[in-house]
Amino acid sequence: MGGVSLDDKDNTLASVLLDLSQSANISASMTAAQRVLTALDNVGQVRKSQVQQAGFVVLKSPDIPSMLVETAYISNRNEELRLRNPKQQVNLADAIFAGRAQLLRAEPAGRNPFAQAPPRNHGKRRLDSRFHELI
């Protein structure tokens, strides 16, 4: 958990520490997801104005905050065409990046699990390069 071994801890203590870590990461994930959702609202219609929670295993890691960003339904022909548009892809990536960047600026690195490493200087690189560095 977070690079710390719980093997030498009592089962009850390990369970409590794991639960605390998971709760903190869920909270950080919800905050980050709300900022991303707000930024995505500037790109186009957002189906739900509140962040939703789901029981996906990848979203329950005790080690790192996480979110799943649903941008459209490819089963909808119009939405699929929009997703294939390079300009729309950049707009979506920009919104996701902006939401995450806003979170990093809003909280000190010591209290922000998303700020494990110092921010990189992206200079004048293209947005899609910056976005791929986040994942």
Side-chain angles (χ1 to χ4, degrees):
M1 173 179 78
V4 176
S5 173
L6 298 178
D7 294 339
D8 61 338
K9 306 294 185 262
D10 171 85
N11 285 343
T12 303
L13 176 59
S15 176
V16 168
L17 291 172
L18 186 63
D19 186 55
L20 287 171
S21 177
Q22 192 172 35
S23 294
N25 281 326
I26 288 171
S27 177
S29 296
M30 295 291 286
T31 300
Q34 187 59 54
R35 291 182 190 252
V36 168
L37 182 63
T38 299
L40 284 169
D41 196 28
N42 295 324
V43 174
Q45 179 183 359
V46 175
R47 291 193 194 316
K48 296 183 180 178
S49 60
Q50 296 295 316
V51 171
Q52 306 294 302
Q53 286 185 278
F56 299 121
V57 172
V58 295
L59 299 177
K60 290 187 170 191
S61 170
D63 292 331
I64 185 168
S66 54
M67 73 180 87
L68 173 69
V69 179
E70 193 172 87
T71 56
Y73 298 109
I74 59 172
S75 58
N76 179 312
R77 181 73 177 141
N78 291 335
E79 290 185 14
E80 178 191 3
L81 290 173
R82 236 184 348 264
L83 282 176
R84 289 180 180 265
N85 180 324
K87 186 174 189 272
Q88 179 69 1
Q89 292 171 7
V90 169
N91 288 341
L92 290 169
D94 190 27
I96 294 167
F97 184 86
R100 182 191 179 273
Q102 184 184 49
L103 179 69
L104 290 174
R105 286 189 301 271
E107 292 198 28
R111 289 192 354 217
N112 187 339
F114 278 97
Q116 298 299 324
R120 298 179 181 135
N121 180 2
H122 298 292
K124 294 190 182 267
R125 279 196 224 165
R126 288 179 38 97
L127 172 67
D128 54 354
S129 298
R130 293 188 315 205
F131 177 69
H132 288 290
E133 288 179 6
L134 294 175
I135 54 176

